[in-house]
Amino acid sequence: MRQIVLDTETTGIDPAEGHRIIEIGCVEMMERQTTGRHYHVYVNPEREVEAEAITVHGITNEFLVDKPKFSDIADEFFDFIKGAELVIHNAAFDIGFMDSEFARLKPVRKTADHCGVVDSLAIARKKHPGQKNNLDALCKRYGVDNSSRDLHGALLDAEILAEVYLLLTGGQTALSLEAGSDEAGGEGGIRRLGSDRKPLSVVRASSEEASAHDEFMALLAKQAGETVWDKLATKE
């Protein structure tokens, strides 16, 4: 399955009030492993960024002046996410902005018509009811390093969310059992140990340990009758 972990930054909190996307960050995953492919762009929103929003993400109006408009990047962004399952923390927020941006263009595209959507916040709330489930709280809970996250940033948050999501949904991050993925050393495949590897050491019981074991087995046989170990010894 192809998944895209996605995050956006915006000029404000409500697209119905004319707020726009100013940054998009996407990280691609295949079979629960990041592929190294990502999509990242800053966008000129053609309006002012609210001061409160700037305190969250640090992206200023001056910085965005020479950036492309959403209409300039809409096709390449759509092509990157099309057909994938989107993993988004508080998906309704980002999808609302994406649909608002796509609605300004022709043809009009609705994200859910072309992509699956998974809300990692909903998963976290179900798994950890009554607890904080924002990205910082989940990083702390699952031991994910977010020390570089002084401000929100779409690509950085998508990278962090990818790691959190894998741990949140089972912790399987490094092994794929997909048929055909067992090539030695292949990324995501089963790792085969070489025949020239150093043999494992065998630690044998000392005479004192062996004697203590025999005494325990004799006591066990006295209390419970013939044991499984007795039957195995008889067969040998």
Side-chain angles (χ1 to χ4, degrees):
M1 177 184 293
R2 181 172 183 260
Q3 294 178 299
I4 300 295
V5 185
L6 182 150
D7 187 56
T8 64
E9 299 299 340
T10 62
T11 63
I13 62 172
D14 191 351
E17 296 179 0
H19 286 292
R20 307 286 300 272
I21 289 175
I22 58 173
E23 185 186 9
I24 302 169
C26 300
V27 174
E28 183 184 64
M29 295 197 301
M30 292 288 289
E31 304 301 336
R32 292 183 59 79
Q33 297 199 46
T34 55
T35 67
R37 291 188 67 214
H38 68 275
Y39 179 83
H40 180 229
V41 66
Y42 290 101
V43 181
N44 182 336
E46 305 178 81
R47 58 153 294 157
E48 293 291 302
V49 182
E50 287 192 343
E52 289 183 1
I54 295 175
T55 64
V56 173
H57 49 59
I59 303 173
T60 65
N61 293 292
E62 293 75 18
F63 176 78
L64 296 171
V65 167
D66 61 348
K67 301 302 182 286
K69 299 174 184 178
F70 188 87
S71 57
D72 298 324
I73 59 92
D75 288 341
E76 65 180 22
F77 172 49
F78 179 77
D79 288 343
F80 188 82
I81 65 172
K82 184 180 179 181
E85 181 178 76
L86 306 182
V87 178
I88 308 172
H89 208 63
N90 191 16
F93 178 87
D94 299 86
I95 295 297
F97 270 94
M98 290 163 59
D99 285 347
S100 177
E101 294 287 359
F102 283 130
R104 292 183 169 90
L105 308 173
K106 300 294 183 182
V108 174
R109 297 155 172 160
K110 192 172 179 62
T111 306
D113 291 341
H114 303 277
C115 305
V117 179
V118 172
D119 189 346
S120 54
L121 178 58
I123 295 173
R125 284 173 172 169
K126 185 175 181 179
K127 191 169 184 179
H128 306 291
Q131 301 182 53
K132 287 185 177 180
N133 287 298
N134 58 40
L135 193 53
D136 286 333
L138 291 173
C139 285
K140 184 176 181 180
R141 189 171 301 144
Y142 288 100
V144 174
D145 182 12
N146 67 338
S147 57
S148 58
R149 192 178 186 251
D150 295 328
L151 293 170
H152 289 222
L155 183 58
L156 175 61
D157 284 2
E159 291 172 341
I160 292 173
L161 178 58
E163 190 172 352
V164 167
Y165 172 74
L166 292 173
L167 295 168
L168 180 66
T169 56
Q172 178 94 359
T173 62
L175 175 64
S176 171
L177 299 182
E178 182 78 9
S181 65
D182 59 352
E183 295 84 354
E187 183 178 353
I190 298 173
R191 184 171 176 262
R192 305 293 185 187
L193 297 177
S195 59
D196 59 344
R197 68 187 183 278
K198 184 178 179 180
L200 297 175
S201 59
V202 178
V203 180
R204 301 187 183 281
S206 67
S207 58
E208 292 83 3
E209 291 169 333
S211 178
H213 173 73
D214 291 340
E215 291 177 6
F216 174 77
M217 294 304 298
L219 177 62
L220 188 62
K222 184 177 180 179
Q223 293 178 343
E226 188 180 27
T227 66
V228 173
W229 292 274
D230 293 328
K231 294 179 180 179
L232 291 174
T234 299
K235 288 182 179 181
E236 292 176 355

